[in-house]
Amino acid sequence: MTAGIEKLKTSLPAGAWTQDPDLIDPHLREWRDKYFGKTPILLTPRTTDEVSIAVKICAAHKLPIMPQGGNTGLVGGNTPQGEVLISLKKMTAVRDLNPTANAITVEAGATLQSVLDAADAADRKFPLTLSSQGSCTVGGVLSTNAGGNHVLKYGTTKELVFGVEAVLADGSIFNGLTSLRKDNTGYDLNRLFLGAEGTLGIITAATLKLFPKPGYIQRALIGIDSAATAVALLEPFRAGGKLAMFEVMPSIGYRAVVDNFDNIRDPFSEHHPWYLLCDWEVETDEEGLNIAETVIGKAIENNTVKDAIIALNQTQAADILSIREHMSAGQKFLGGSIKHDITVPIDKIPEFFERANAAMQNVVAGCRPVGFGHFGDGNIHYNIAQPEGADREAFLANWDALSQPVFDIVDALGGSISAEHGIGIMKRDDLAQRASPVKMKLLRTLKNALDPDGIMNPRVMV
Ligand SMILES: Cc1cc2nc3c(=O)[nH]c(=O)nc-3n(C[C@H](O)[C@H](O)[C@H](O)COP(=O)(O)OP(=O)(O)OC[C@H]3O[C@@H](n4cnc5c(N)ncnc54)[C@H](O)[C@@H]3O)c2cc1C
């Protein structure tokens, strides 16, 4: 290993590597303090060629590599345990923005927020929004196939990519950058890198799809009595094809936000068991108000909805979105939290809650399920907060005991144990146990073909 590290230091320009523990430290701990890591060296290349040089040296010396973007991943795939850490954070350029093709080509270390801003400045929309958008990067969102709040209308990241540029495990550069909507010349190689979590190569740039900016976004926050009511409202709310966001929050998570953050207030005068947050993308504010008042009015008439706030201006709209954006951070106030990111078919959401909530109490009596998220996609962030007053570490020791029944129920309902965060380290063994042998064989065949020496993020996924 030492010879390889020395070669990296002499071959890369000054400033493209460091072994300073103070500079490396923020890259070794993740957002929730769940994983802590170590690395012999942090590389911060500025160009695709520098990434290529680094990977060629690692390949020659069989040094394992971990790519890192914004370090906001939630499954441990971004925390090194001895791998050479390659951070893309210095590769942030917008290489091209083509409004006619509705395409933007941007380097992998650019934050998602910078892509949203660049698209907006060109009077376009890039429809991927996550609470971590200020930190997470293009390389990270592509590598995890991130989801977020607008999958309902625009799909996951996989649907938003024309092509990628990636450095392969031997250091060669695959250039799939294109804005072509039609290219039937063989396997879709670009897609191999989407959701691959850095196991097949390092994404260095991508051409992303842009969309027309909607004339107006109508937002509403709605008080409801149950998860089943949320599911029942999906059909009437999406009639007309304008619904772009359908997010659900239980009271316990909602209160953890509105009761603890000084700059966030509860717009309702009464408490509700559940809250539904919706966006409709429309042409004018008049059209938005009309849609929201009509569908919500009908739901109030038939007693499905208890109360609603229909945003009348951008400030109100931003304020109510802020509650949803703080759902993850808010749960820190509930103590230890065991997290699941699962999908089930949308009509099975109520049954999932019924079965999973009961199963959780059988494992840790008094634990508090906080199931929130993208119900319009069947995606529930099914977090379990510790019982009130319990010891945090003792509760977190139940991670596996609580997760296995959740995954069993997900499997029984035809769902997925990872909706949008990926496999990483956290779910690697679960994937191996629960996926079909044929799927595992295909995954491993692809991995071996593209990375025969197993140097690309070797502890992750397969
Ligand atoms: C508060 C909060 C809210 C979140 N909300 C959502 C959400 O709504 N939806 C969602 O999908 N996710 C969400 N996430 C998870 C996370 O933000 C996403 O997974 C994001 O895509 C990770 O991007 P990143 O740049 O931080 O990647 P990192 O965390 O740095 O890396 C994630 C994985 O991608 C690999 N990787 C990173 N860059 C590259 C590259 N250039 N080439 C190859 N592999 C690479 C890493 O090796 C690792 O395996 C949330 C996280 C937080 C902290």
Side-chain angles (χ1 to χ4, degrees):
M1 178 173 261
T2 318
I5 301 295
E6 289 309 312
K7 183 75 179 157
L8 286 167
K9 286 158 65 174
T10 51
S11 305
L12 291 168
W17 61 270
T18 181
Q19 291 182 304
D20 180 339
D22 290 338
L23 295 178
I24 293 179
D25 187 67
H27 296 265
L28 303 182
R29 49 185 68 242
E30 54 105 77
W31 184 77
R32 297 160 302 180
D33 289 340
K34 179 166 168 59
Y35 296 100
F36 299 94
K38 57 182 180 193
T39 182
I41 190 164
L42 169 66
L43 308 183
T44 51
R46 292 189 182 88
T47 64
T48 302
D49 284 341
E50 286 180 12
V51 177
S52 167
I53 290 167
V55 175
K56 277 182 183 154
I57 294 168
C58 290
H61 292 266
K62 301 223 177 350
L63 294 179
I65 295 169
M66 175 176 278
Q68 194 183 71
N71 197 17
T72 66
L74 296 173
V75 287
N78 38 312
T79 311
Q81 296 298 340
E83 295 92 342
V84 169
L85 188 59
I86 303 189
S87 166
L88 281 296
K89 68 180 182 185
K90 289 185 183 160
M91 292 183 60
T92 59
V94 174
R95 291 191 191 165
D96 186 45
L97 198 158
N98 182 337
T100 310
N102 268 329
I104 181 171
T105 299
V106 62
E107 291 184 340
T111 62
L112 175 55
Q113 186 63 56
S114 70
V115 176
L116 298 173
D117 292 344
D120 191 58
D123 200 29
R124 294 292 185 276
K125 177 183 175 95
F126 183 62
L128 181 68
T129 55
L130 319 177
S131 307
S132 55
Q133 66 200 32
S135 306
C136 69
T137 63
V138 168
V141 296
L142 266 63
S143 298
T144 58
N145 183 30
N149 296 344
H150 295 111
V151 173
L152 183 68
K153 179 162 183 193
Y154 295 98
T156 62
T157 301
K158 277 182 186 166
E159 315 303 324
L160 306 175
V161 178
F162 281 117
V164 305
E165 176 189 86
V167 173
L168 307 183
D170 63 359
S172 58
I173 300 169
F174 166 72
N175 186 345
L177 297 176
T178 179
S179 60
L180 295 179
R181 285 176 189 269
K182 293 186 171 178
D183 178 10
N184 278 339
T185 54
Y187 302 131
D188 190 345
L189 299 175
N190 288 296
R191 279 226 168 191
L192 281 179
F193 299 94
L194 308 181
E197 300 181 42
T199 59
L200 300 182
I202 302 180
I203 297 173
T204 46
T207 304
L208 307 173
K209 295 180 185 172
L210 301 179
F211 295 80
K213 244 200 299 198
Y216 187 76
I217 296 175
Q218 179 62 58
R219 186 163 294 151
L221 181 66
I222 299 147
I224 53 176
D225 60 2
S226 67
T229 294
V231 173
L233 288 172
L234 181 60
E235 188 59 24
F237 278 30
R238 73 180 166 195
K242 309 276 178 166
L243 187 67
M245 181 164 78
F246 193 84
E247 297 289 308
V248 179
M249 301 169 275
S251 174
I252 178 173
Y254 183 94
R255 296 238 67 81
V257 174
V258 297
D259 291 345
N260 287 299
F261 291 99
D262 290 341
N263 53 342
I264 299 180
R265 64 172 196 90
D266 184 1
F268 289 108
S269 50
E270 285 179 27
H271 294 188
H272 298 284
W274 289 80
Y275 297 85
L276 168 62
L277 179 66
C278 292
D279 271 1
W280 290 270
E281 290 189 352
V282 292
E283 288 310 313
T284 62
D285 53 351
E286 201 181 334
E287 182 192 1
L289 198 58
N290 186 27
I291 289 178
E293 283 182 348
T294 306
V295 293
I296 294 170
K298 277 190 190 147
I300 288 177
E301 264 170 40
N302 64 28
N303 276 332
T304 329
V305 161
K306 302 291 168 210
D307 198 2
I309 310 286
I310 298 176
L312 295 177
N313 54 51
Q314 295 306 310
T315 309
Q316 274 182 3
D319 285 351
I320 57 180
L321 180 64
S322 181
I323 301 173
R324 169 64 186 89
E325 285 177 334
H326 283 76
M327 280 297 287
S328 297
Q331 284 166 65
K332 290 194 172 183
F333 296 101
L334 300 175
S337 173
I338 292 178
K339 300 183 189 297
H340 309 99
D341 158 46
I342 58 96
T343 347
V344 293
I346 297 170
D347 56 304
K348 301 277 197 263
I349 289 176
E351 183 180 347
F352 170 79
F353 274 109
E354 208 173 297
R355 292 172 64 172
N357 288 354
M360 297 301 93
Q361 296 309 318
N362 288 337
V363 182
V364 180
C367 68
R368 295 168 293 166
V370 188
F372 70 100
H374 322 293
F375 282 26
D377 315 320
N379 179 188
I380 305 161
H381 296 307
Y382 188 65
N383 296 347
I384 311 298
Q386 67 181 58
E388 266 178 284
D391 178 73
R392 183 176 189 275
E393 296 312 315
F395 172 69
L396 291 179
N398 292 298
W399 199 294
D400 212 39
L402 284 165
S403 292
Q404 293 310 315
V406 171
F407 293 160
D408 288 344
I409 294 164
V410 165
D411 282 343
L413 295 177
S416 167
I417 62 166
S418 179
E420 56 179 15
H421 296 162
I423 297 298
I425 309 299
M426 186 191 271
K427 294 181 181 173
R428 187 187 50 198
D429 295 343
D430 297 304
L431 177 72
Q433 282 161 19
R434 291 170 185 274
S436 75
V438 177
K439 175 169 177 167
M440 288 313 297
K441 189 175 161 197
L442 274 173
L443 288 174
R444 289 183 177 129
T445 303
L446 283 170
K447 169 74 177 168
N448 292 335
L450 271 82
D451 181 20
D453 289 326
I455 63 165
M456 301 303 308
N457 231 357
R459 294 176 304 106
V460 166
M461 194 195 304
V462 281

